[in-house]
């Protein structure tokens, strides 16, 4: 038990919806959230590698799916997310250098 | 010409319990009225039961940290003229339990501050004889001087959602002060402090939100102190020797 604790009862406030309390937190969550797109693109490339190993038919299917409209939209979204994530990453980079 | 501003304060008293409630007062303001001065006017003229901490009135003591319109600020250096028109909302520092009105329970921080050994851990073999100064060069002092500016105002804790979500996290100011003493050429306490740095609740509890450094009134940059220490912690994990301090 701490020797610094208050003698009388205290009131603890809720952390519900904490990310809405400050625009800084929203930007932080956007920064972290865009990493999901990076992970998704990595999985997409991994799937392509697996298809390549699997044979010519699988590789052709993967390429055809990649040229489809939904895939192109996802790639465009992923590019925007990756650029934003990269920009935020460069902004916090100085904080991580010894 | 005299003008007034509405000051809204979150109030809670342990004797009454329940949920905190807002109370508003109109206070006369001049061009140089700070939030702290507005609160002092309330206490002196309108409601003597309002509780808040303050001391130096010049951003040195770190006592008067509050949430002003939702942002952690030193109330003595936050001027009403700089705030958007309308009522000014004043709350106790976020993420800390309310002790009474605008005063928070700082006990958890004080425990953590004590745990990081914020003092010079001397090695008798290298310490100068009693009464003699323990000298260091300007370059050696420059390595930690930025972190030594911390005034324990706790704005960084109020800006850190990680601390709000998990009180076990050692937190920005304590870890910045840990780095301050670790970086001191006269200090030999790195090994003792390493267990705090390397713990799950130490530097690895930080997800680099970065808001702590934004709100710091002394530009201490606790986010850098924590994340730079992740390198040291990684070296420890792999059993690699930490780079020595320039002596």
């Amino acid at each position: 038990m701490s020797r610094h604790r208050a003698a009388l009862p205290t009131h603890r406030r809720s952390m519900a919806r904490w990310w809405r309390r400050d625009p800084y937190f929203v930007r932080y969550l956007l920064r972290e959230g865009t990493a999901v797109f990076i992970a998704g693109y990595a999985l997409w490339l991994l799937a392509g590698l697996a298809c390549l190993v699997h044979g010519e038919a699988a590789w052709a299917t993967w390429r055809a799916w990649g040229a489809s409209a939904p895939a192109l939209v996802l790639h465009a979204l992923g590019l925007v997310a990756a650029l934003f994530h990269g920009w935020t990453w460069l902004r916090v980079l100085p904080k991580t250098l010894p | 010409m005299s003008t007034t501003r509405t000051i809204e304060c979150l109030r809670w008293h342990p004797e009454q319990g329940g949920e905190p409630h807002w109370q508003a007062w109109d206070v006369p303001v001049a061009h140089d009225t700070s939030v702290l001065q507005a609160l002092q006017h309330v206490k002196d003229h309108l409601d003597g039961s309002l509780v808040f901490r303050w001391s130096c009135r010049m951003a040195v003591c770190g006592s008067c940290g509050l949430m002003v319109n939702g942002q952690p600020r030193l109330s003595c250096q936050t001027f009403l003229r700089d705030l958007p028109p309308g009522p000014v909302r004043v709350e106790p520092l976020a993420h800390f339990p309310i002790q009474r009105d605008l005063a928070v329970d700082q006990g958890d921080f004080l425990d953590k501050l004590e745990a990081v050994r914020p003092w010079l851990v001397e090695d008798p073999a290298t310490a100068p004889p009693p009464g003699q100064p323990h000298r260091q060069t300007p370059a050696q002092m420059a390595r930690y001087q930025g972190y030594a500016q911390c005034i324990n105002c706790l704005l960084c804790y109020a800006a850190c959602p990680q601390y709000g979500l998990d009180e076990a996290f050692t937190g920005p100011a304590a870890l910045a002060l840990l780095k301050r003493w670790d970086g001191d050429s006269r200090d030999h306490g790195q090994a003792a402090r390493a267990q705090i740095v390397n713990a799950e609740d130490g530097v690895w509890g930080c997800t680099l939100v970065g808001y702590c450094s934004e709100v710091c009134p002394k530009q201490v940059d606790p986010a850098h102190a924590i994340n730079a220490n992740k390198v040291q912690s990684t070296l420890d994990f792999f059993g690699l020797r930490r780079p020595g301090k320039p002596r």
Side-chain angles (χ1 to χ4, degrees):
Chain A
M1 184 63 184
S2 165
R3 64 191 178 91
H4 299 294
R5 296 287 167 174
L8 290 172
T10 56
H11 177 79
R12 190 169 284 280
R13 289 160 286 177
S14 165
M15 283 295 286
R17 295 191 289 276
W18 62 268
W19 62 90
R20 290 168 55 178
R21 293 179 192 170
D22 197 293
Y24 203 96
F25 297 152
V26 177
R27 289 197 293 274
Y28 159 70
L29 282 185
L30 274 176
R31 185 189 88 198
E32 298 296 300
T34 45
V36 173
F37 285 87
I38 314 289
Y41 189 68
L43 289 175
W44 161 256
L45 290 181
L46 203 61
L49 199 63
C51 289
L52 188 63
V53 172
H54 221 257
E56 193 177 339
W59 171 247
T61 307
W62 182 80
R63 287 197 65 196
W65 200 82
S68 68
L72 288 175
V73 170
L74 280 173
H75 274 78
L77 281 174
L79 178 63
V80 172
L83 288 172
F84 177 79
H85 190 82
W87 175 68
T88 56
W89 189 82
L90 288 170
R91 279 172 65 88
V92 299
L93 183 65
K95 301 264 183 235
T96 66
L97 299 175
Chain B
M1 193 180 75
S2 170
T3 56
T4 61
R5 283 291 289 268
T6 302
I7 305 291
E8 297 177 348
C9 289
L10 195 67
R11 304 205 66 181
W12 185 82
H13 281 199
E15 295 85 1
Q16 293 156 6
E19 285 298 307
H21 64 278
W22 292 95
Q23 187 171 358
W25 299 274
D26 289 332
V27 299
V29 296
H31 182 68
D32 59 352
T33 305
S34 65
V35 172
L36 177 62
Q37 285 173 308
L39 293 174
Q40 287 171 326
H41 179 87
V42 172
K43 188 163 180 77
D44 292 346
H45 302 286
L46 304 174
D47 187 342
S49 70
L50 181 67
V51 172
F52 54 95
R53 290 195 176 100
W54 64 279
S55 183
C56 75
R57 297 169 294 172
M58 56 183 87
V60 174
C61 73
S63 303
C64 68
L66 292 168
M67 304 300 287
V68 179
N69 286 346
Q71 293 183 327
R73 308 283 290 265
L74 288 183
S75 58
C76 69
Q77 68 169 183
T78 305
F79 294 93
L80 294 174
R81 65 170 186 259
D82 297 328
L83 299 173
V88 177
R89 291 209 132 188
V90 184
E91 298 167 70
L93 283 176
H95 309 148
F96 287 99
I98 302 176
Q99 200 164 24
R100 184 182 294 268
D101 288 341
L102 301 174
V104 294
D105 181 5
Q106 303 171 332
D108 183 58
F109 167 70
L110 294 172
D111 287 341
K112 285 164 177 165
L113 182 63
E114 204 171 28
V116 303
R117 295 174 174 81
W119 54 79
L120 207 59
V121 179
E122 294 232 60
D123 177 4
T126 57
Q132 295 297 308
H134 201 153
R135 298 181 194 281
Q136 59 184 178
T137 65
Q140 288 170 331
M141 193 174 83
R143 293 190 70 222
Y144 67 81
Q145 196 173 18
Y147 304 123
Q149 305 309 306
C150 176
I151 55 174
N152 301 338
C153 65
L154 306 185
L155 299 197
C156 52
Y157 281 78
C160 176
Q162 290 302 319
Y163 178 69
L165 294 165
D166 180 11
E167 198 192 47
F169 176 41
T170 305
L175 287 169
L177 284 164
L178 182 150
K179 187 158 176 64
R180 176 259 175 270
W181 290 104
D182 267 3
D184 194 314
S185 60
R186 304 162 297 180
D187 179 84
H188 290 80
Q190 263 197 350
R193 296 187 193 102
Q195 53 187 308
I196 294 172
V197 173
N198 298 340
E200 190 83 12
D201 302 323
V203 293
W204 301 106
C206 170
T207 56
L208 193 42
V209 178
Y211 198 29
C212 54
S213 296
E214 293 287 322
V215 302
C216 177
K218 296 295 173 186
Q219 291 78 49
V220 169
D221 203 354
H224 179 254
I226 295 170
N227 287 280
N229 251 339
K230 285 179 180 172
V231 176
Q232 302 291 341
S233 182
T234 306
L235 291 174
D236 279 350
F237 181 78
F238 288 106
L240 300 171
R241 194 186 160 96
R242 287 165 172 245
K245 296 179 198 176
R247 302 280 176 197

